[in-house]
Amino acid sequence: MALDPEDRTAVTELLALHGHLTDAGELDRLGELFTPDVVYDITDFGQPPLHGPAAIRDAALALGAGNPVAHHITNVVLTELAEGRVHALSKGIGINADGTSGSVTYEDTVVRGDDGWRIAHRKVGARRVPLGGR
């Protein structure tokens, strides 16, 4: 069964909400984005995976002024995995306070639950070389 337009919009808006909440410092609202047992994989940045919204919040607070001042999401591609599960591939652009920027690729597993769509697994991949190193 194809993902309907309403679900596509809801998942895309969920991905976009991450930047708005993070940039506003509304880290106590991360439960609106993630499942309680989310795995947030940042191993590409030399860090262990984070487990649960509280661990994501704590990591952001620990990074403090090292956080980007703006998170932008783009190039969203959604693929239905099974009823109520979606693979979301997207690009992220982070703007730092000093004006520098960086790019990441997000690979998300998004699930539909009682409270709507939530990210159950996120892998953040750093974009460091052009053309994927090819």
Side-chain angles (χ1 to χ4, degrees):
M1 177 176 178
L3 196 61
D4 68 40
E6 291 81 16
D7 286 328
R8 285 185 173 278
T9 298
V11 171
T12 301
E13 287 183 0
L14 173 73
L15 301 177
L17 184 59
H18 171 263
H20 289 285
L21 294 183
T22 302
D23 295 346
E26 296 184 39
L27 303 175
D28 289 333
R29 294 180 57 194
L30 293 179
E32 295 175 32
L33 303 174
F34 301 107
T35 61
D37 61 348
V38 63
V39 175
Y40 197 95
D41 184 346
I42 51 175
T43 55
D44 204 27
F45 292 89
Q47 301 296 316
L50 304 170
H51 297 272
I56 298 168
R57 180 196 64 233
D58 292 348
L61 291 173
L63 190 55
N67 283 288
V69 296
H71 292 78
H72 302 282
I73 193 161
T74 185
N75 300 55
V76 177
V77 178
L78 304 179
T79 305
E80 187 172 31
L81 298 174
E83 185 66 33
R85 291 176 49 88
V86 172
H87 177 262
L89 180 64
S90 59
K91 297 288 187 176
I93 302 167
I95 309 299
N96 300 309
D98 66 1
T100 61
S101 62
S103 179
V104 298
T105 298
Y106 293 117
E107 288 195 54
D108 297 322
T109 300
V110 184
V111 297
R112 183 180 17 230
D114 293 339
D115 294 325
W117 291 98
R118 298 290 186 271
I119 300 168
H121 186 273
R122 169 167 276 187
K123 180 171 179 55
V124 185
R127 307 302 305 160
R128 295 188 175 103
V129 295
L131 302 174
R134 292 190 176 97

